[in-house]
């Protein structure tokens, strides 16, 4: 870690985290206090900083309390007193339970969003814990929850760690409102309405919010209102929960917000989920990224390392949103499937800011996004997008209306590399090779996309290129909403050919998932054989972890595919999961006996020889577990 020099910065460069810092700004009170489960890093990749800077730019006085101590005398919750407008509660950039526990529900030993990676600096479910404390201390002050945890728990959802269906987290917490998704627009409108004298209990129509309402207020279903199955009905009928998910996913991915969702949670209380805002315009997303971030951890962490910050300190995020719609991913549920892309000028401004960092050595670690190569993409005819309910623009095949032109992205890469202080720029985010290899029939676009693959592989790989085939079985990939593994073979041949031509010895890093809905032991055995024949020793792997508001989680819980109504086999027990996971490590002698027994049990002894016979030479391409 390079020691950060804070000498050129003053208290005015930060949002205050203490009363002393607040008074140094000449304030005697604040309008909004944000509580975050993460450390305060003043960077556009950290949600509390984004919301705080957004409100600050609108003229509000905002303080941040990062990782408050909820186990002592609660002084962290009391120190700023009651803000003039509201408390904001964010559990952090990760769902707290994913942050705390492995797929086997074992407690993790570290936390990437905490100084020193120290574990235990946030509770389980901070949305509930923080809001309960604040309500007890400040009964009349509005509490607004935001961030990934409440966003994806906004209606009834399966909780893997409690192994049961839970109602909207708004019902389980003392918060008055949830702001879901990317929060700049709704939080700013909320602040303005509260500032104008409206009561939070009366603000029931704010876009991208979830509010409690009397159950008697649920309207008759129509084009603007979808009445979900009640929480009680979902508890007694898993098919009802599966049906709800389809509505939630479709409305979350609407071009312009879609319908309001209503769900009764008790006999007398319901929640209303207001439609999303449209994706940000280029000017709006530029304005967010161009706010005066220091791009540094707060000085209170001087001398300490925050692992999540170290990963992104020399990277630049170019867009939001993802239209891949992968069954196991929460990105589109939180950010939406429509891409909001920054302007070239905004991106280059941030790159230049990175180059001025004292520890910058000439290398941009990532020019990326949720998916690295979706920059500036979307529907050609947006009127068709406005009617579309498809959760994925790429599955089962790329939408004919989708513009997949990679030329704007190539232009960014080239412009960044022309900056004198930049020796090389890399793409560290995952690349959708099904997007860059898709044949559109437009000769200019197809030629440009082929050139993108060449330039990416030859000039923007820092030794390893991350891609995510996720599985080898077409049946499993269909449930995952991922392309056939045959396309990975094609991309790997291209990767190897370009490397040989350029005299490079780069590695391709494939990610795989075990125990995904639809995956049987035979599928994992075939995956082991096929990846062995590709000379891979897999270590970049993970066991499927059910997280709220994904298609895969709904299948895991209900056993039903929400779009077909058909039953889907899913491994759910610890033994079933470990049986599948072992196939990733066929090359480790410690797993050989177990794999041999499993293959014998399922009648696939034919694969034993293919796995443990004469091995081809291997290229050990992966060294860090995902």
């Amino acid at each position: 870690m390079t020691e950060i020099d804070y000498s050129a910065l003053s208290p005015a460069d930060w949002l205050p985290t203490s009363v002393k810092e607040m008074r140094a700004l000449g304030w005697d009170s604040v309008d909004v206090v944000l509580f975050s489960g993460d450390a305060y890093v003043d960077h556009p990749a950290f949600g509390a900083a984004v919301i705080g800077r957004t409100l600050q730019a609108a003229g509000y006085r905002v303080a941040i309390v990062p990782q408050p101590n909820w186990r002592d005398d609660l002084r962290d919750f009391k120190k700023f007193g009651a803000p003039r407008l509201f408390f904001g509660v964010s559990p952090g950039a990760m769902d707290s339970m994913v942050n705390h526990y492995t797929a086997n529900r074992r407690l993790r030993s570290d936390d990437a969003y905490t100084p020193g990676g120290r574990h235990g600096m946030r509770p389980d479910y901070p949305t509930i814990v923080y809001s309960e404390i604040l309500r007890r201390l400040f009964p009349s002050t509005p509490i607004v929850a935001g961030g990934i945890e409440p966003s994806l728990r906004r209606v009834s959802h399966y909780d893997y760690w409690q192994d049961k269906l839970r109602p909207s987290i708004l019902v389980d917490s003392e918060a008055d409102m949830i702001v879901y998704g990317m929060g700049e627009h709704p939080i700013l409108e909320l602040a303005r309405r509260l500032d104008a004298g409206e009561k939070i209990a009366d603000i029931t129509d704010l876009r991208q919010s979830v509010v409690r309402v009397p159950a008697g207020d649920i309207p008759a279903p129509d084009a603007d209102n979808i009445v979900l199955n009640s929480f009680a009905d979902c508890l007694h009928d898993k098919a009802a929960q599966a049906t709800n998910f389809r509505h939630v996913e479709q409305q979350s991915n609407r071009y312009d917000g879609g319908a309001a969702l209503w769900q009764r949670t008790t006999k007398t209380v319901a929640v209303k989920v207001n439609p999303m805002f449209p994706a940000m315009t280029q000017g709006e997303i530029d304005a967010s990224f161009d706010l005066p971030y220091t791009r540094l951890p707060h000085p209170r962490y001087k001398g300490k390392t925050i692992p999540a910050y170290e990963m992104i300190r020399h990277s630049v995020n170019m867009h939001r949103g993802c239209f891949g719609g992968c069954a196991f991913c929460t990105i589109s549920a939180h950010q939406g499937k429509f891409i909001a892309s920054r302007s070239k000028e905004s991106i280059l401004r941030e790159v230049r800011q990175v180059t001025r960092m004292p520890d910058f050595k000439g290398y941009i670690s990532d020019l990326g996004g949720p998916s690295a190569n979706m920059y500036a993409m979307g529907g050609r005819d947006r009127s068709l997008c406005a009617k579309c309910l498809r959760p994925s623009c790429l599955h089962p095949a790329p939408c004919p209306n989708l513009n997949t032109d990679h030329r704007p992205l190539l232009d960014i890469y080239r412009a960044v590399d022309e900056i004198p202080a930049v020796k090389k720029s890399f793409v560290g985010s995952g690349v959708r090779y099904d997007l860059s290899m898709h044949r559109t029939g437009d000769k200019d676009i197809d030629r440009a996309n082929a050139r993108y693959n060449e330039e990416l592989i030859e000039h923007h790989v820092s030794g390893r290129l991350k891609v995510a085939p996720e599985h080898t079985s077409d049946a499993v990939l269909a449930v995952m909403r991922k392309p056939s593994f045959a396309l990975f073979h094609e991309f790997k041949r291209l990767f190897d050919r370009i490397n040989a031509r350029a005299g490079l010895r780069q590695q391709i890093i494939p990610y795989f998932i075990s125990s995904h809905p639809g995956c049987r032991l035979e599928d994992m055995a075939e995956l082991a054989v096929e990846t062995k024949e590709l000379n891979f020793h897999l270590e970049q792997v993970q066991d499927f972890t059910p997280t709220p508001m994904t298609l895969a989680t709904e299948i895991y819980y209900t056993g039903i595919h929400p779009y077909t109504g058909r039953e889907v086999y899913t491994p759910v027990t610890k033994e079933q999961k470990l049986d599948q996971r072992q196939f990733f490590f066929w090359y480790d002698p410690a797993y050989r006996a177990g794999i041999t027994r499993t293959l014998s049990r399922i009648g696939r002894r034919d694969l034993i020889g293919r796995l443990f016979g004469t091995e081809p030479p291997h290229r050990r391409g992966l060294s860090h577990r995902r």
Side-chain angles (χ1 to χ4, degrees):
M1 173 189 168
T2 302
E3 185 70 22
I4 297 172
D5 181 7
Y6 290 101
S7 61
L9 298 169
S10 72
D13 292 309
W14 309 89
L15 300 171
T17 65
S18 68
V19 173
K20 180 180 179 180
E21 293 168 18
M22 177 187 74
R23 288 177 177 158
L25 298 175
W27 304 351
D28 56 8
S29 63
V30 294
D31 300 317
V32 177
V33 182
L34 302 177
F35 288 85
S36 174
D38 293 340
Y40 171 29
V41 180
D42 193 46
H43 187 286
F46 289 75
V50 174
I51 296 302
R53 290 295 190 184
T54 297
L55 290 166
Q56 179 194 51
Y60 296 104
R61 295 178 175 183
V62 184
I64 290 183
V65 181
Q67 300 189 311
N69 190 334
W70 73 100
R71 293 173 289 200
D72 62 1
D73 60 4
L74 306 181
R75 66 187 66 182
D76 285 341
F77 293 88
K78 300 173 185 175
K79 61 184 177 183
F80 287 107
R84 187 171 65 89
L85 297 179
F86 64 88
F87 288 114
V89 169
S90 172
M94 291 177 65
D95 186 284
S96 65
M97 304 308 283
V98 177
N99 180 285
H100 282 173
Y101 301 96
T102 69
N104 286 324
R105 299 187 178 95
R106 293 178 179 172
L107 192 66
R108 297 187 191 274
S109 59
D110 57 4
D111 181 341
Y113 293 87
T114 298
R118 181 182 173 187
H119 177 81
M121 295 299 288
R122 78 186 82 213
D124 290 353
Y125 310 105
T127 302
I128 297 172
V129 175
Y130 292 172
S131 64
E132 188 277 330
I133 292 170
L134 290 169
R135 177 61 69 226
R136 183 158 27 101
L137 295 174
F138 305 98
S140 60
T141 303
I143 302 171
V144 181
I148 195 78
E149 181 175 274
S151 181
L152 302 185
R153 298 168 183 268
R154 54 190 183 258
V155 293
S156 61
H157 57 278
Y158 172 69
D159 188 290
Y160 174 67
W161 298 272
Q162 295 182 354
D163 191 25
K164 64 181 180 181
L165 197 71
R166 299 296 310 168
S168 167
I169 199 170
L170 186 63
V171 176
D172 278 342
S173 76
E174 292 290 338
D176 295 288
M177 176 185 289
I178 291 171
V179 166
Y180 69 92
M182 308 307 284
E184 292 101 321
H185 281 344
I187 205 71
L188 195 53
E189 183 176 329
L190 175 64
R192 287 170 174 160
R193 291 176 67 170
L194 290 172
D195 199 12
E198 289 190 59
K199 303 296 185 185
I200 196 162
D202 298 330
I203 302 175
T204 61
D205 60 344
L206 175 67
R207 277 201 169 202
Q208 229 164 291
S209 71
V210 186
V211 294
R212 292 186 196 84
V213 294
D217 287 356
I218 297 176
D222 59 26
D224 297 320
N225 296 281
I226 294 173
V227 180
L228 302 176
N229 294 304
S230 71
F231 177 61
D233 287 344
C234 292
L235 280 174
H236 293 101
D237 181 3
K238 290 183 176 181
Q241 173 66 18
T243 299
N244 279 3
F245 172 79
R246 187 176 71 248
H247 287 306
V248 172
E249 183 177 53
Q250 288 176 337
Q251 298 307 310
S252 297
N253 287 321
R254 293 292 296 272
Y255 183 70
D256 190 10
L261 303 174
W262 304 73
Q263 185 180 35
R264 183 189 295 266
T265 57
T266 68
K267 290 183 178 180
T268 60
V269 176
V271 293
K272 178 190 178 189
V273 182
N274 288 298
M276 291 185 75
F277 279 92
M280 280 183 161
T281 65
Q282 186 176 89
E284 289 168 342
I285 194 169
D286 279 359
S288 180
F289 276 87
D290 291 347
L291 291 168
Y293 303 101
T294 63
R295 291 184 60 88
L296 297 172
H298 189 273
R300 65 192 288 148
Y301 310 121
K302 187 175 182 179
K304 298 179 181 179
T305 298
I306 300 172
Y309 170 70
E310 296 299 314
M311 290 178 62
I312 54 88
R313 64 190 303 166
H314 296 147
S315 70
V316 175
N317 183 16
M318 301 193 296
H319 68 272
R320 289 182 184 167
C322 179
F323 49 72
C326 297
F328 47 82
C329 182
T330 62
I331 291 173
S332 63
H334 189 63
Q335 297 191 11
K337 75 174 183 180
F338 293 97
I339 306 300
S341 295
R342 299 170 64 185
S343 68
K344 177 180 176 180
E345 293 73 23
S346 175
I347 293 168
L348 294 180
R349 277 195 295 273
E350 187 174 359
V351 170
R352 292 189 183 97
Q353 188 178 5
V354 172
T355 66
R356 292 192 292 270
M357 296 175 69
D359 65 332
F360 182 70
K361 306 300 183 184
Y363 301 97
I364 299 294
S365 61
D366 185 22
L367 289 173
S371 288
N373 56 320
M374 290 185 182
Y375 177 78
M377 293 184 186
R380 293 186 183 88
D381 183 346
R382 293 304 172 100
S383 68
L384 296 179
C385 295
K387 303 172 186 175
C388 181
L389 292 179
R390 278 181 59 168
S392 171
C393 302
L394 294 178
H395 182 82
C399 175
N401 187 45
L402 180 64
N403 170 24
T404 63
D405 190 348
H406 283 65
R407 281 176 289 191
L409 192 52
L410 280 172
D411 183 47
I412 297 290
Y413 291 173
R414 293 164 183 168
V416 169
D417 287 349
E418 287 174 1
I419 294 174
V422 175
K423 296 177 182 177
K424 205 170 184 62
S425 62
F426 298 116
V427 176
S429 305
V431 173
R432 290 294 301 240
Y433 55 83
D434 52 335
L435 190 57
S436 62
M437 298 186 73
H438 173 59
R439 277 75 170 181
T440 67
D442 182 311
K443 292 181 180 179
D444 290 336
I445 291 178
D446 290 347
R447 190 181 302 114
N449 292 359
R451 183 58 191 160
Y452 171 82
N453 286 325
E454 293 172 0
E455 291 197 19
L456 170 74
I457 295 167
E458 192 167 345
H459 300 296
H460 300 285
V461 176
S462 61
R464 297 177 168 189
L465 178 65
K466 298 176 185 177
V467 295
E470 305 295 5
H471 215 286
T472 59
S473 162
D474 282 350
V476 178
L477 289 166
V479 179
M480 290 179 163
R481 295 176 178 159
K482 296 286 288 187
S484 170
F485 195 64
L487 193 59
F488 175 79
H489 281 281
E490 184 180 341
F491 184 75
K492 185 178 183 299
R493 288 192 293 269
L494 174 68
F495 183 86
D496 292 342
R497 186 167 65 249
I498 293 172
N499 270 281
R501 185 185 70 197
L504 300 171
R505 300 185 64 184
Q506 300 177 143
Q507 299 166 336
I508 193 167
I509 311 298
Y511 289 83
F512 291 93
I513 296 177
S514 60
S515 304
H516 192 276
C519 183
R520 299 178 181 273
L521 279 170
E522 294 89 336
D523 298 312
M524 289 304 300
E526 295 281 2
L527 182 153
V529 169
E530 190 156 0
T531 54
K532 174 189 176 179
E533 292 172 353
L534 285 168
N535 294 340
F536 285 123
H537 277 185
L538 301 181
E539 293 180 8
Q540 293 285 339
V541 299
Q542 67 177 16
D543 191 34
F544 169 66
T545 303
T547 53
M549 204 171 284
T550 68
L551 173 67
T553 297
E554 297 301 323
I555 297 174
Y556 177 94
Y557 170 66
T558 67
I560 299 168
H561 196 297
Y563 286 83
T564 66
R566 296 174 183 167
E567 293 185 1
V568 179
Y569 169 77
T570 304
V572 295
T573 68
K574 181 178 179 180
E575 292 72 25
Q576 289 171 333
K577 286 174 165 287
L578 291 175
D579 271 354
Q580 292 213 6
R581 195 174 188 275
Q582 67 181 335
F583 282 100
F584 285 139
F585 309 111
W586 61 268
Y587 54 83
D588 186 334
Y591 289 90
R592 182 166 183 165
I595 290 174
T596 300
R597 285 194 300 270
T598 300
L599 290 174
S600 298
R601 188 177 81 242
I602 65 175
R604 294 303 306 269
R605 292 187 59 84
D606 58 303
L607 297 180
I608 295 175
R610 292 175 67 185
L611 277 178
F612 304 120
T614 303
E615 289 189 26
H618 285 83
R619 179 171 67 247
R620 291 190 65 85
L622 307 128
S623 62
H624 298 289
R625 293 185 187 278
R626 177 161 69 154

